[in-house]
Amino acid sequence: MHTLSLPMMNRRRYLSTIGWFGLFFLVTLVAAPLIGFTHIDLGKALSSEIEFSENVDAMILFLARLPRVLLAAITGASLAVAGAVFQAILRNDLAAPITLGVSSGAAFGAVLAISMGLSFTVLGFSSIPVAAFLGALGAITLVFSLVRTRQGELPTSMVLLAGVTVNFFFAAMVMFIHYLSDVTQSFRIVRWLMGGLDITDYQTVLSICPPVVIGMGILAYIARDLNLISTGSQSALSRGVDVPKIQKLGLVSASLITGAVVAVCGPIGFVGLMVPHMVRLLIGPDQRLLIPASMLFGASFLIICDTVARTVIAPTEIPVGVITALIGGPFFVWLLKKQHWMFGK
Amino acid sequence: MSAPILQLQDVSFAYQKDPVVKQVSLNIHPGEFVGILGPNGSGKSTLLKLMGGLLKNDLGSVLFKETELAQYSRKRLAQSIAWIPQEHPMVFPFRVAEIVLMGRHPYLSPLTFETEKDFDIAGRAMEITDTTHLSGRSFNEVSGGEKQRVVIASALAQEPEIMLLDEPTSALDIKYQLEVLNILKRLNQENGMTLLLAMHDLHLASKFCQRLILINQGQIVKDGTPEEVLQKEVLEKVYDVRIKLFRDHEDGSVMISPES
């Protein structure tokens, strides 16, 4: 018998925690499509007696609302997991796709692709997601190389400074491209930059699945290595973690999933910052649990935000990015206040 | 004497341009309790990192059991050599038991959980370091002395043959200093653990270590027993101060007082 008087991580604790988060996710996933400005009769929507093309309730449910909810789920899950991983690798709990400039990097890539009318495909992916991924990767590489010292330690305050700088740089580039584009492109860009989940279909939802699944799979695989890196890169090295390799794998995978969803929804802020914190408060910082739990909770969180966005002043819809930013701004300030002592270091 | 467990042969290292460690050669034998002394910036920490494979030497070779460190995989090395940093800044609220269990990392494959055996080993490490009662506490909330013991427990969970400790007592008061050093002494005497400590306190070094290595500007000035190394003239030259040196005749330890 071991002497650790603590509910330690084992298969049972893991499965029960994931089970609760999974249940919450399923409830939001099923409930959200039923809520909306137009009332739908579930019995009628699911009825097999009415022709689908004549069943208005079914069309609203399955063609308008469900793909949108699914997109919200994938986007929320991706941004939350990316946030959790950025925070661990940079050892900074204010790190997130938005504060590190990764989202604006992706936005820059996507806007560039939109405005230049680029249309190429790489391995079956169209130009916008590929450009967004490259932009995200470029931003995180820039931040990481700005703050890394020879000994491999990352000065905490530098991380955010570098992130803010990179963010401003890419935001300025986006504005510049926007300024130069014609009216049609300009409208597309503005619509996209506001961050929205409204223009979607099953095809779009399916198209972002492969990069998201691959990225998250890699991150789950290196979860324990990320735990050690989050306690310090030198001590991780001394415990047998191949730190440079894991850092690269982690940053590339997190950029991949960020780029994939930003390409479709635009930069939706603060999900990647808030969700990992909320989850950490509930279950602790162990990445093996934090990654899957952030995934499920991030999905639920964005589904809820989007449901609010499309119902609060219905029939007018607010971009979901507005809702997340409205909640996220104050949350960020609270975190900053809580952590202000860190900036002395 | 048995074969050396750790060997440095003409090792040099520079972070940027100026070498921090210059042509250092030394042999460490199994079961030795070695103190590494020297002024600030003399290269103590760098030397320990080179021995632990955390830094790659520019010139010369570092051998563990007569094989270059670079020949071992990271995990294999971590099963034999543990390194304990001076400070333990922790951004995330890991609990003490979680920190100790991280020492099991070199024995675990991805996508697996710790087994009953890992819990046993971590539990024993916590008994040795008297940290069992802390296991559920947040690492950030325990005191400096307790942190040091927790981190030693975590290193013990690696089941290493060598432990490298970077100034394990510098930030502690005298009670905690003695606690930590007595734990290390027990490990050395009862388990035959090979220990290398970077230290500042010359008195404690002479009291606990069997062998001292005095370095200055990246080079070994003196290497031998505390009595051989801690000489008035040598210390005055290396530390650039005038001192009075007293010897405790009971245990042979040395006390130093600045000459004013």
Side-chain angles (χ1 to χ4, degrees):
Chain A
M1 237 343 257
H2 60 83
T3 51
L4 302 179
S5 55
L6 187 69
M8 291 320 297
M9 180 74 109
N10 55 33
R11 189 163 284 113
R12 228 184 70 213
R13 182 182 163 220
Y14 185 83
L15 290 178
S16 75
T17 311
I18 298 304
W20 283 112
F21 279 96
L23 192 66
F24 181 58
F25 167 63
L26 281 180
V27 169
T28 54
L29 184 68
V30 172
L34 302 177
I35 303 167
F37 179 66
T38 317
H39 176 76
I40 53 172
D41 183 338
L42 190 61
K44 213 179 133 201
L46 296 179
S47 160
S48 54
E49 285 164 24
I50 313 166
E51 225 14 66
F52 185 78
S53 55
E54 283 163 22
N55 189 341
V56 181
D57 292 60
M59 282 167 77
I60 293 176
L61 181 64
F62 290 109
L63 295 184
R65 291 194 188 153
L66 192 59
R68 177 166 176 166
V69 169
L70 288 174
L71 183 63
I74 297 172
T75 305
S78 301
L79 293 174
V81 169
V85 170
F86 285 137
Q87 286 165 14
I89 293 180
L90 296 165
R91 257 187 320 291
N92 190 316
D93 52 5
L94 296 173
I98 205 95
T99 52
L100 293 173
V102 176
S103 289
S104 32
F108 168 68
V111 167
L112 195 66
I114 294 174
S115 71
M116 290 170 68
L118 289 181
S119 57
F120 56 87
T121 50
V122 179
L123 302 170
F125 295 110
S126 59
S127 49
I128 297 178
V130 172
F133 165 63
L134 292 177
L137 195 61
I140 195 66
T141 309
L142 211 57
V143 170
F144 196 64
S145 57
L146 276 175
V147 298
R148 199 167 56 152
T149 62
R150 167 83 197 246
Q151 287 192 65
E153 291 299 339
L154 303 162
T156 317
S157 51
M158 281 288 289
V159 173
L160 277 193
L161 275 178
V164 169
T165 311
V166 169
N167 191 21
F168 275 129
F169 174 74
F170 282 116
M173 293 302 283
V174 166
M175 250 198 285
F176 182 60
I177 294 173
H178 188 186
Y179 183 74
L180 292 181
S181 21
D182 62 39
V183 181
T184 335
Q185 283 170 349
S186 175
F187 178 74
R188 275 185 76 192
I189 291 171
V190 169
R191 210 45 217 84
W192 182 83
L193 278 178
M194 279 184 180
L197 301 158
D198 47 343
I199 314 160
T200 192
D201 49 34
Y202 288 107
Q203 177 108 47
T204 314
V205 171
L206 274 178
S207 75
I208 58 173
C209 282
V212 167
V213 169
I214 292 170
M216 289 199 183
I218 294 173
L219 294 173
Y221 189 78
I222 60 172
R224 202 183 37 241
D225 302 86
L226 291 174
N227 273 344
L228 280 123
I229 287 182
S230 78
T231 71
S233 58
Q234 296 266 294
S235 52
L237 205 58
S238 77
R239 269 95 184 268
V241 178
D242 188 341
V243 174
K245 189 180 107 192
I246 298 293
Q247 281 174 334
K248 268 184 221 122
L249 264 181
L251 293 176
V252 170
S253 305
S255 306
L256 180 69
I257 59 179
T258 307
V261 299
V262 168
V264 174
C265 314
I268 296 175
F270 292 107
V271 179
L273 180 76
M274 286 188 287
V275 173
H277 276 282
M278 294 172 180
V279 176
R280 222 180 267 120
L281 284 174
L282 291 170
I283 60 164
D286 190 330
Q287 294 278 334
R288 288 175 291 180
L289 210 45
L290 187 65
I291 288 176
S294 294
M295 181 182 93
L296 292 166
F297 193 69
S300 315
F301 179 81
L302 201 60
I303 290 177
I304 293 170
C305 286
D306 184 51
T307 308
V308 171
R310 63 192 167 80
T311 52
V312 70
I313 51 164
T316 308
E317 289 187 2
I318 312 168
V320 67
V322 174
I323 301 286
T324 57
L326 280 178
I327 311 174
F331 187 84
F332 186 77
V333 172
W334 172 74
L335 267 182
L336 202 63
K337 239 177 127 53
K338 206 182 78 165
Q339 306 291 332
H340 68 96
W341 53 268
M342 274 172 47
F343 286 85
K345 292 197 171 178
Chain B
M1 207 175 213
S2 53
I5 190 164
L6 201 62
Q7 288 168 282
L8 269 63
Q9 295 169 347
D10 283 324
V11 170
S12 296
F13 176 81
Y15 285 103
Q16 262 117 40
K17 236 177 92 190
D18 303 320
V20 181
V21 168
K22 292 173 217 159
Q23 293 190 313
V24 168
S25 297
L26 55 87
N27 289 337
I28 305 293
H29 295 275
E32 278 194 297
F33 193 145
V34 184
I36 299 175
L37 305 173
N40 289 331
S42 57
K44 300 190 292 293
S45 300
T46 308
L47 199 59
L48 282 185
K49 285 180 183 171
L50 287 165
M51 291 175 176
L54 298 175
L55 294 172
K56 175 83 189 73
N57 45 305
D58 299 328
L59 296 170
S61 43
V62 182
L63 309 173
F64 171 69
K65 293 189 172 166
E66 296 172 341
T67 306
E68 289 257 11
L69 287 193
Q71 301 292 314
Y72 295 92
S73 74
R74 279 266 159 233
K75 283 198 165 181
R76 174 66 193 79
L77 209 55
Q79 293 172 2
S80 297
I81 306 177
W83 171 81
I84 297 173
Q86 189 177 354
E87 286 179 323
H88 319 290
M90 196 69 64
V91 179
F92 301 105
F94 281 108
R95 290 192 276 191
V96 163
E98 291 177 307
I99 296 286
V100 176
L101 277 168
M102 284 184 192
R104 296 303 296 161
H105 182 79
Y107 297 92
L108 295 168
S109 351
L111 301 176
T112 58
F113 296 114
E114 291 87 355
T115 62
E116 212 49 34
K117 185 185 163 216
D118 299 306
F119 292 138
D120 281 341
I121 291 166
R124 258 202 309 284
M126 295 176 82
E127 274 165 25
I128 293 171
T129 52
D130 190 22
T131 49
T132 311
H133 61 291
L134 301 172
S135 72
R137 298 263 302 276
S138 170
F139 181 79
N140 281 329
E141 286 164 11
V142 303
S143 74
E146 288 167 340
K147 271 192 184 126
Q148 199 65 45
R149 276 161 29 210
V150 170
V151 177
I152 292 174
S154 180
L156 281 178
Q158 285 174 244
E159 302 186 292
E161 294 167 75
I162 305 174
M163 284 171 78
L164 310 168
L165 298 99
D166 196 351
E167 299 191 26
T169 57
S170 293
L172 306 180
D173 67 30
I174 182 80
K175 176 174 179 265
Y176 287 134
Q177 286 185 337
L178 289 175
E179 260 178 28
V180 166
L181 287 168
N182 279 318
I183 288 169
L184 294 176
K185 189 175 166 184
R186 253 199 332 274
L187 279 173
N188 176 255
Q189 288 177 346
E190 290 168 18
N191 306 19
M193 182 76 73
T194 309
L195 293 168
L196 284 109
L197 283 67
M199 289 183 83
H200 268 307
D201 190 314
L202 302 178
H203 172 59
L204 286 176
S206 67
K207 207 174 167 74
F208 281 89
C209 303
Q210 304 147 356
R211 172 180 167 193
L212 296 179
I213 299 171
L214 180 65
I215 62 172
N216 192 23
Q217 296 177 342
Q219 284 176 313
I220 295 181
V221 179
K222 216 141 183 131
D223 179 352
T225 64
E227 203 157 339
E228 289 164 357
V229 173
L230 298 179
Q231 302 285 341
K232 185 174 182 295
E233 302 73 33
V234 180
L235 292 176
E236 283 187 334
K237 196 163 163 238
V238 167
Y239 285 94
D240 192 24
V241 284
R242 312 274 302 151
I243 54 167
K244 275 189 266 188
L245 193 140
F246 307 95
R247 233 170 260 283
D248 183 332
H249 291 295
E250 266 175 48
D251 59 4
S253 68
V254 163
M255 270 160 285
I256 276 141
S257 166
E259 187 129 12
S260 46

